């Protein structure tokens, strides 16, 4: 998605437009992947901070930000797993109050499967787009979604 | 759409609504002088109107933009600067990848970076030349002193029942240009690999420490290192730069789950940093992921992610190549340039 690059708008004005439009959506996306609202806000802020520094050179701001947020969310999950290996277990993810069994089952999925499902069913992306965001092949994405489905069916007893 | 699809979609939509997103736009833009607010507001409004039909049908629809990945990939410039965080990430990832019971970070069991490895060619009276690998610690700069010290230790081990060498000469080594890069496609590890490289230039080369030799000459160990040209003039600054860059790039790859395109862009940026005399290999067969290596989708429960990073291969002719490797260091094999029976240690 390319935002209009009209000379009538300064770079900063375009940045603000993108921020106002995408930031809430990106926070929700990161929240669904990481399970933490606070972490999601920080990850998105970091992504915008990085994007702001080189805004002039980014051709596809929204695409850049979505990929950055997906990658940062996955990196966060990976770090958390690393930390969990070396430190006493202490849950640091604040779960939303309206937890239902599907959400709980989603939370238990491996992060790649969960990320693929969130991008598919929340962000409503195509397999090709998910593959682009996750740096994976379309076949891998299909497999992740399929396996995510399988895991959820087993968890939910369907 | 089946029932499970609907449940997933509804659940995600409902949970997403519980997220709050506090705007911190001012933190980002406060450093720059602002234009007339009215103009900015007007611009925002116009842009928002312009993008609405393209982006979304509803104001709260989460539909992400399409067409991602078709343009050039930007990388964070800080990814090219080695920081303590990078070292920490490498050590932490190493600790995670080590089998249970083995020693942790900093131990000899840690897979070395390409820039942490040099070769020590030992000549002993009445014995054939022997080549042994020199591990160079992550936090040790590449200097002549460090290389000689490491080689002396290994040479003493090799010498065993005889006097170890007392003379050491640090040389640069490069392979002759006689094998096309496609040879890399079929490479299995470890084996002798000869890659294209400009042996006449003072540029990219890896250090080779020759024990018990007063000068840099290929002749004494030509049989041991076929195809290799040994000469004087190791550029330690260049080696240190390469090492710093490798640490930075690997650290960035570990701290950020890079896509294939991002890893490729990072390799290109690293190549620019190093200079044109460094060989940049972009062999499609090197574009691998954990999925490819394991013959199918990798279950994350194994601890592996579909993340990528550029690989440095100093021993192959000093290459910053966008061949993609999994982020798990245990999979980050350094290609040996010597066959097993030629290498000790």
């Amino acid at each position: 998605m390319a935002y209009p690059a009209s000379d009538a708008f300064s770079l900063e004005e375009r940045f603000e437009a993108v921020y106002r439009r995408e930031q809430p959506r990106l926070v929700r996306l990161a929240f669904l992947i990481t399970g933490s609202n606070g972490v999601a806000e920080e990850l998105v802020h970091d992504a915008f901070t990085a994007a702001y520094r080189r805004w002039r050179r980014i051709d596809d701001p929204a695409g850049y930000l979505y990929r950055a947020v997906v990658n940062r969310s996955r990196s966060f999950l990976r770090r958390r797993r690393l930390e969990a290996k070396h430190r006493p277990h202490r849950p640091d993810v604040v779960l939303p109050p309206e937890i239902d069994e599907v959400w709980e089952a989603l939370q238990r999925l491996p992060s790649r499967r969960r990320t693929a499902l969130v991008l598919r069913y929340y962000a409503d992306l195509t397999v090709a787009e998910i593959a682009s965001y996750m740096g994976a092949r379309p076949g891998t994405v299909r497999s992740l979604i399929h396996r995510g489905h399988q895991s959820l069916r087993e968890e939910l007893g369907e | 759409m089946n029932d499970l699809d609907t449940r997933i979609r509804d659940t995600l939509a409902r949970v997403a609504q519980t997220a709050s997103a506090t705007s911190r736009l001012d933190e980002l833009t406060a450093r720059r002088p602002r234009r007339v607010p009215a103009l900015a507001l007007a611009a925002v409004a116009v842009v928002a109107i312009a993008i609405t039909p393209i982006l979304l049908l509803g104001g709260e629809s989460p539909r992400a933009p399409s067409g991602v990945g078709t343009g050039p990939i930007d990388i964070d410039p800080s990814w090219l600067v080695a920081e303590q965080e990078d070292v920490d990430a490498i050590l932490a990832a190493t600790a995670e990848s080590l089998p249970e019971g083995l020693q942790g970070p900093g131990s000899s069991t840690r897979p070395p970076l390409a820039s942490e490895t040099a070769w020590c060619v030992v000549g002993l009276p009445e014995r054939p030349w022997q080549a042994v690998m020199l591990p160079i610690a992550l936090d040790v700069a590449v200097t002549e002193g460090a290389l000689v010290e490491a080689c002396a230790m290994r040479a003493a081990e090799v010498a065993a029942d005889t006097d170890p060498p007392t003379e050491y000469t640090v040389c640069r080594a490069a392979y002759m240009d006689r094998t096309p890069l496609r040879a890399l496609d079929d490479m299995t590890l470890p084996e002798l690999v000869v890659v294209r490289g400009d042996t006449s230039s003072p540029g990219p080369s890896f250090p080779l420490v020759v024990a018990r030799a007063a000068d840099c000459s290929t002749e004494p160990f030509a049989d041991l290192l076929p195809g290799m040209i040994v000469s004087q003039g190791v550029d330690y600054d260049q080696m240190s730069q390469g090492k710093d860059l490798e640490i930075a790039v690997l650290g960035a790859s570990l701290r950020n789950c890079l896509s294939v395109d991002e890893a490729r862009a990072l390799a290109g940026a690293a190549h620019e940093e190093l200079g044109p005399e460094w060989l940049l290999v972009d062999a499609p067969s090197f574009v691998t992921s954990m999925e490819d290596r394991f013959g199918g989708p990798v279950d994350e429960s194994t601890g592996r992610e579909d993340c990528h990073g550029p690989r440095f291969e100093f021993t192959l002719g000093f290459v910053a190549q966008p061949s993609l490797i999994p982020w798990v260091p245990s999979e980050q094999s350094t290609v040996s340039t010597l066959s097993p029976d030629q290498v000790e240690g």
Side-chain angles (χ1 to χ4, degrees), chain A residues 68-82:
Chain A
V69 167
V70 169
N71 282 334
R72 284 165 193 267
S73 298
R74 294 174 63 197
S75 295
F76 164 78
L77 293 172
R78 192 172 59 204
R79 283 199 303 275
R80 191 174 64 183
R81 192 178 59 231
L82 256 180

Side-chain angles (χ1 to χ4, degrees), chain A residues 5-97:
Chain A
S6 165
D7 291 339
F9 308 124
S10 70
L11 287 171
E12 187 156 328
E13 288 163 353
R14 270 182 272 149
F15 178 83
E16 290 187 6
V18 173
Y19 186 95
R20 294 182 196 285
R21 186 75 196 180
E22 302 294 348
Q23 187 260 1
R25 189 175 302 138
L26 288 165
V27 168
R28 288 194 289 271
L29 180 69
F31 169 55
L32 292 174
I33 296 174
T34 65
S36 167
N37 198 160
V39 167
E41 287 191 301
E42 286 300 321
L43 294 179
V44 171
H45 183 68
D46 288 349
F48 270 105
T49 301
Y52 188 67
R53 285 202 296 265
R54 48 184 180 280
W55 193 242
R56 185 182 301 277
R57 296 189 291 123
I58 298 176
D59 293 334
D60 177 12
Y64 175 94
L65 287 162
Y66 268 78
R67 179 182 283 112
V69 167
V70 169
N71 282 334
R72 284 165 193 267
S73 298
R74 294 174 63 197
S75 295
F76 164 78
L77 293 172
R78 192 172 59 204
R79 283 199 303 275
R80 191 174 64 183
R81 192 178 59 231
L82 256 180
E83 290 167 358
K85 274 196 166 187
H86 298 284
R87 296 177 185 172
H89 179 66
R90 187 179 58 194
D92 59 351
V93 176
V94 179
L95 297 173

